[in-house]
């Protein structure tokens, strides 16, 4: 399977190289050179397939002959060892719960699959791999959990001292084993700058195999295709067309859906729903993408003012705005609307939404009002409500129960290395600790 850059100014590469590099040398994002297609009988068989069977069959289209079937089977079994239920709230509204992984958010899908792909590719080469991640909180914990205990890989996390929540810090610093947390005397931007600098440093490149685990890696995107098929496979009335509402920030999740449609999933439309960071819905309206600084909202994992996967979306549609509008319907909502729908859904259905999923439900409601044709909606639930307990309490008066796997972290001792905001120190640390 060959991958190329969205900017088309770098050579085509194998999946292995695309995954170990992250982004292309010209600064573009990797996409398949040729879009695969599912066999014609796939949709007919779908209802009988388990999540793992879907993941193996769809995954094989993107891994090609680089990952033997028995390896892909093992990667899928280890990465997706948690349930992915579709919960029906009303005749037309379903919620796909993507938050049953170890860090209670959908990012576990991408991070766990990518980690195991990297493990396989690096084992083949016999090198030790160093993964460096800068985090403001949540991405770091998903990535660290995903790589925990994988042989041949060590993870170095950079996080800003004093600027992550207690629960987030515990998730980053209590894992041990092959995960090291550096507590940087600086901001998140400083963390990101140091991580980027280390990835282009010639001295490090000569002596280490260094990669980043950022969200634009194609290895994180591929598994985000699987659950769209899984959702449709669970519908009780599959003959009624189903649209997906996708609460979006960097638009990786939505891009997974668009790829699912491209390879054969029957979906009439996707609802791209955002908080006040509405540059993508604005693009759909005006045809212009105008990035801007992000605004702080209660659905903070979607506070993105310059979505990184925009490049993939326009690439997928060959820059054809009409074609993009045909497949994607956009809308955005305020924090007040988000709190209100959390309250209403709890009252009406006794179902507790986290603020990100709530933005998804708002998107479906708005779409359903304006498109009265007989459709049903599947909202992607991207985080467990217990991760945003304060906001849930504010909206509903209820305190969501903290799942065991989140509570367990809070009792463990923090192990981090206080670290100066200087590249020379980071360079020395990476070289001296490489075994
Ligand atoms: C990352 C994240 C999103 C946004 O996903 P994108 O792929 O960046 O659009 C939505 N909700 C939660 C809880 C997230 O962590």
């Amino acid at each position: 399977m060959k991958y190329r850059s969205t900017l088309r100014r770098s050579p085509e590469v194998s999946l292995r190289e695309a995954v170990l590099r992250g982004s292309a040398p010209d600064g573009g994002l990797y996409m398949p050179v040729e879009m695969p297609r599912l066999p014609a009988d796939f949709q007919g068989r779908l209802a009988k397939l388990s999540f793992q069977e879907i993941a193996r069959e769809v995954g094989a289209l993107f891994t090609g002959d680089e990952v033997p079937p028995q390896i892909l089977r093992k990667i899928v079994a280890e990465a997706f060892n948690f349930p992915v239920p579709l919960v029906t709230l009303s005749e037309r509204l379903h919620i796909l719960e993507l938050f049953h992984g170890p860090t209670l958010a959908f990012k576990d899908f991408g991070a766990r699959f990518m980690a195991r792909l990297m493990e396989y590719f690096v084992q083949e080469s016999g090198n030790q791999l160093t993964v460096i991640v800068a985090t403001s909180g949540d991405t770091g914990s998903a990535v660290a959990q995903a790589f925990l205990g994988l042989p041949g890989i060590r993870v170095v996390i950079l996080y800003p001292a004093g600027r992550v929540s207690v629960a987030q810090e515990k998730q980053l610093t209590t894992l041990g084993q092959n995960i090291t947390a550096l507590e940087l005397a600086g901001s998140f931007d400083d963390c990101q700058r140091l991580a980027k600098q280390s990835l282009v440093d010639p001295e490090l490149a000569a002596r280490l195999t260094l990669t980043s685990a950022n969200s634009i890696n194609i290895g994180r995107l591929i598994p985000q295709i699987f659950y769209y098929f899984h959702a449709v496979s669970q519908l009780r009335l599959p003959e009624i067309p189903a649209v997906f509402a996708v609460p979006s920030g960097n638009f990786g999740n939505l891009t997974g859906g668009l790829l699912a449609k491209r390879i054969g999933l029957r979906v009439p439309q996707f609802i791209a729903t955002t908080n006040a960071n509405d540059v993508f819905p604005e693009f759909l309206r005006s045809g212009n993408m105008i990035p801007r600084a992000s605004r702080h909202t209660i659905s903070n994992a979607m506070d993105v003012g310059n979505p990184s996967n925009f490049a993939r979306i326009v690439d997928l549609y060959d820059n054809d705005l009409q074609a993009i509008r045909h497949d994607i319907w956009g809308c955005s909502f305020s924090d007040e609307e988000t709190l209100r729908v959390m309250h209403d859904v709890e009252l009406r259905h006794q179902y507790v939404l986290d603020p990100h999923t709530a933005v998804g439900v708002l998107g479906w409601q708005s779409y359903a009002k304006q498109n009265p044709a007989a459709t049903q909606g599947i909202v992607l639930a991207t985080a467990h409500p217990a991760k945003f307990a304060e906001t849930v309490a504010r909206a509903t008066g209820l305190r969501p129960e903290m799942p065991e796997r989140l509570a367990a972290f809070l009792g463990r001792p923090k192990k981090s290395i206080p670290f100066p905001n200087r590249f020379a120190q980071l360079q020395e640390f990476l070289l001296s600790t490489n075994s």
Side-chain angles (χ1 to χ4, degrees):
M1 187 75 191
K2 286 281 181 215
Y3 288 82
R4 60 162 175 83
S5 165
T6 48
L7 293 178
R8 299 174 193 251
R9 290 195 292 265
S10 311
E12 292 177 2
V13 297
S14 60
L15 176 67
R16 176 180 192 281
E17 200 174 335
V19 166
L20 292 182
R21 271 180 182 280
S23 54
D26 61 9
L29 308 188
Y30 283 117
M31 286 289 273
V33 170
E34 257 172 81
M35 203 52 73
R37 275 301 284 190
L38 279 162
D41 68 335
F42 186 78
Q43 194 93 19
R45 289 188 281 120
L46 188 55
K48 293 199 192 69
L49 300 179
S50 69
F51 183 89
Q52 295 201 4
E53 287 167 334
I54 293 169
R56 292 203 298 267
E57 193 160 343
V58 175
L61 294 180
F62 290 89
T63 56
D65 55 12
E66 284 184 68
V67 182
Q70 72 277 14
I71 301 288
L72 184 60
R73 171 182 285 266
K74 182 163 170 284
I75 289 174
V76 161
E78 289 177 7
F80 310 118
N81 58 354
F82 49 86
V84 193
L86 184 74
V87 176
T88 294
L89 289 195
S90 68
E91 208 179 315
R92 293 177 65 194
L93 172 59
H94 316 275
I95 309 276
L96 184 67
E97 293 186 348
L98 300 175
F99 52 69
H100 294 285
T103 70
L104 310 180
F106 90 95
K107 292 200 173 63
D108 285 329
F109 285 86
R112 291 175 69 77
F113 187 81
M114 176 186 68
R116 282 158 184 81
L117 259 190
M118 281 185 175
E119 180 198 10
Y120 171 66
F121 287 140
V122 74
Q123 260 174 8
E124 259 192 321
S125 74
N127 293 336
Q128 146 137 327
L129 181 68
T130 300
V131 177
I132 190 153
V133 221
T135 184
S136 55
D138 274 355
T139 301
S141 55
V143 167
Q145 268 287 346
F147 282 99
L148 181 66
L150 296 189
I153 302 184
R154 65 163 175 163
V155 176
V156 177
I157 303 173
L158 289 163
Y159 76 96
R163 306 205 195 172
V164 302
S165 74
V166 173
Q168 283 175 328
E169 185 169 39
K170 289 282 187 178
Q171 284 189 293
L172 294 173
T173 60
T174 60
L175 293 168
Q177 298 186 54
N178 57 333
I179 315 293
T180 308
L182 304 181
E183 185 177 358
L184 197 88
S187 65
F188 169 60
D189 291 336
D190 293 324
C191 295
Q192 230 171 358
R193 189 175 45 76
L194 290 187
K196 278 192 182 147
Q197 201 173 342
S198 58
L199 289 165
V200 296
D201 184 68
E203 197 175 336
L204 289 176
R207 295 172 57 191
L208 301 178
T209 310
L210 195 62
T211 190
S212 81
N214 56 22
S215 61
I216 48 155
N217 197 302
I218 187 76
R220 275 176 71 165
L221 199 58
I222 294 167
Q224 293 175 182
I225 303 170
F226 306 157
Y227 44 71
Y228 287 89
F229 288 96
H230 176 68
V232 168
S233 83
Q234 291 181 84
L235 288 172
R236 228 168 7 96
L237 300 171
E239 61 285 1
I240 301 176
V243 297
F244 284 92
V246 188
S248 294
N250 266 319
F251 286 81
N253 208 358
L254 180 71
T255 305
L258 300 175
L259 286 168
K261 180 170 169 123
R262 189 59 64 92
I263 64 171
L265 183 67
R266 277 188 225 125
V267 197
Q269 233 176 0
F270 294 88
I271 305 163
T273 170
T274 71
N275 57 30
N277 296 279
D278 60 353
V279 296
F280 190 82
E282 271 305 316
F283 158 75
L284 290 175
R285 257 191 296 276
S286 70
N288 299 315
M289 169 48 89
I290 305 167
R292 53 162 190 259
S294 64
R295 298 176 185 167
H296 182 71
T297 74
I298 56 170
S299 47
N300 58 25
M302 292 157 40
D303 292 349
V304 179
N306 188 10
S308 51
N309 283 289
F310 180 69
R312 282 200 170 107
I313 296 176
V314 292
D315 183 273
L316 195 59
Y317 289 90
D318 261 339
N319 254 309
D320 180 344
L321 182 63
Q322 289 318 317
I324 295 175
R325 282 180 177 149
H326 182 263
D327 280 4
I328 313 173
W329 193 87
C331 47
S332 67
F333 302 94
S334 67
D335 281 354
E336 290 64 41
E337 291 169 300
T338 307
L339 289 167
R340 197 173 329 126
V341 83
M342 290 168 77
H343 176 264
D344 290 351
V345 167
E346 198 288 316
L347 202 66
R348 191 155 359 136
H349 304 290
Q350 291 77 55
Y351 187 85
V352 179
L353 300 167
D354 94 282
H356 304 80
T357 309
V359 172
V361 171
L362 284 166
W364 158 250
Q365 289 178 344
S366 173
Y367 178 91
K369 227 177 271 162
Q370 293 179 44
N371 298 273
T375 49
Q376 46 187 339
I378 300 171
V379 175
L380 301 193
T382 52
H384 192 292
K387 273 195 112 164
F388 299 90
E390 300 302 322
T391 309
V392 169
R394 206 172 125 203
T396 66
L398 299 174
R399 219 156 235 291
E401 211 171 301
M402 192 183 290
E404 190 61 40
R405 58 201 186 285
L406 187 56
F409 281 104
L410 297 175
R412 292 185 202 151
K414 163 181 160 180
K415 279 177 281 178
S416 68
I417 303 176
F419 215 78
N421 181 7
R422 271 201 302 277
F423 181 67
Q425 241 88 358
L426 179 62
Q427 194 188 42
E428 187 190 316
F429 175 84
L430 291 172
L431 290 173
S432 67
T433 52
N434 190 47
S435 50

